[in-house]
Amino acid sequence: MTPRGPTRRSAARHHLNLPQARTVTTSQVRAAAHALHTTVEQQTMMCLSGPPGTGKTFTLHTLIAQHPHWQTLSLIVRPQARPEDLRARLYCALQLPGTAPKNPGICDDLLRHALHHPPRLLAIDEAHQLSASCLEYLRFLHEDPHTRLAVLLLASDHRIKALRAQPVLASRVHTWHRLQPLTESELLTTLPTFHPQWHNTDPELITTLNTAWAHGNFRRWATLTHRLASLAHRTSHHLHDAHLLLKQLQP
């Protein structure tokens, strides 16, 4: 589990650190923002899921950068992390002095005190990798009357069953929110705003590329945009043939 610390003002990073890329607030992001705002306000638990590449992590980082007052603690877990791992990472993310005490009771008291004020959002990426004992520990922290904590869990669609199968979690998640791939009409308005590479592009070309390869997956569109931008930089040519563009994606 790698701590990302209190992610207060760091900007979200685009896939492949794509130059000139802009953050676009799509309907998917707005819906996730509304759900997460309610979760933080009511201090409940939420799960954000979606197919790989639909922007779960990017959406999270975008929203917490826009809302520094959420005092977010953003963690990514390693497989089958133990409660003591979670204690140590939270201790570090909260920037408490020294190292986490070995005694679980003492460490928990310090964490509970730190999580009392200000109210915080604990966001855990790859949450399907949490062990049952870690989920139980999250329940303990969230339901402790002394803490003021909202919890957000991120997981891909093909992993969401692992979370829903945990009784300790399934009955406590207030909101199950799913990110969808972008529709064709959304792509036609989003891509030109996302990157200059798509300015003045024939809509038919975008539709063809989406049908043949990207399927509304924004990570795939970012990958294609990166390839095209690199090609244009090297050759000073802009490809406008779908078959030639798709060849750029071959190994």
Side-chain angles (χ1 to χ4, degrees):
M1 182 182 303
T2 302
R4 292 181 178 171
T7 316
R8 295 191 179 101
R9 298 184 182 278
S10 57
R13 293 174 55 189
H14 289 276
H15 182 54
L16 301 174
N17 293 320
L18 183 62
Q20 295 183 283
R22 296 180 58 190
T23 299
V24 184
T25 304
T26 64
S27 60
Q28 296 288 318
V29 174
R30 286 192 294 271
H34 177 74
L36 186 53
H37 184 275
T38 302
T39 296
V40 172
E41 190 176 65
Q42 298 179 357
Q43 294 187 336
T44 55
M45 298 182 74
M46 170 179 164
C47 183
L48 181 64
S49 65
T54 48
K56 297 179 294 296
T57 302
F58 187 84
T59 296
L60 168 65
H61 290 174
T62 298
L63 295 178
I64 61 181
Q66 294 172 353
H67 300 277
H69 58 283
W70 285 353
Q71 299 288 326
T72 302
L73 304 166
S74 183
L75 308 177
I76 184 168
V77 301
R78 63 180 180 81
Q80 295 301 304
R82 299 167 298 176
E84 50 265 38
D85 299 322
L86 192 52
R87 283 190 185 93
R89 299 306 181 181
L90 276 173
Y91 192 94
C92 179
L94 285 163
Q95 300 179 344
L96 298 176
T99 57
K102 298 294 185 182
N103 185 297
I106 295 175
C107 189
D108 285 345
D109 285 345
L110 293 172
L111 292 175
R112 290 171 59 248
H113 179 75
L115 292 172
H116 175 65
H117 185 79
R120 296 181 185 273
L121 168 65
L122 174 59
I124 300 182
D125 207 347
E126 305 293 341
H128 58 271
Q129 299 187 124
L130 288 169
S131 64
S133 56
C134 272
L135 291 173
E136 178 64 37
Y137 185 67
L138 279 179
R139 182 206 62 78
F140 159 73
L141 288 178
H142 180 254
E143 295 186 356
D144 189 297
H146 192 73
T147 63
R148 302 164 69 194
L149 186 66
V151 177
L152 173 65
L153 305 174
L154 280 73
S156 295
D157 271 358
H158 63 294
R159 301 288 191 178
I160 198 66
K161 288 183 179 179
L163 290 178
R164 287 186 177 272
Q166 297 288 343
V168 71
L169 182 70
S171 62
R172 290 174 172 84
V173 172
H174 185 268
T175 302
W176 298 86
H177 188 88
R178 184 177 186 271
L179 291 179
Q180 305 277 359
L182 291 174
T183 65
E184 184 178 300
S185 60
E186 286 177 312
L187 283 170
L188 294 177
T189 57
T190 298
L191 286 177
T193 305
F194 167 63
H195 197 275
Q197 186 68 39
W198 304 107
H199 288 178
N200 304 315
T201 300
D202 185 350
E204 186 176 345
L205 176 62
I206 293 177
T207 300
T208 301
L209 291 172
N210 190 58
T211 301
W213 191 75
H215 311 300
N217 186 300
F218 212 83
R219 184 185 295 164
R220 286 188 166 223
W221 276 109
T223 299
L224 178 56
T225 305
H226 188 275
R227 296 281 182 89
L228 296 182
S230 298
L231 183 67
H233 178 73
R234 292 195 309 268
T235 65
S236 299
H237 288 83
H238 296 273
L239 293 179
H240 297 287
D241 181 277
H243 297 292
L244 292 177
L245 292 176
L246 290 170
K247 283 184 179 180
Q248 300 303 314
L249 303 171
Q250 301 302 319

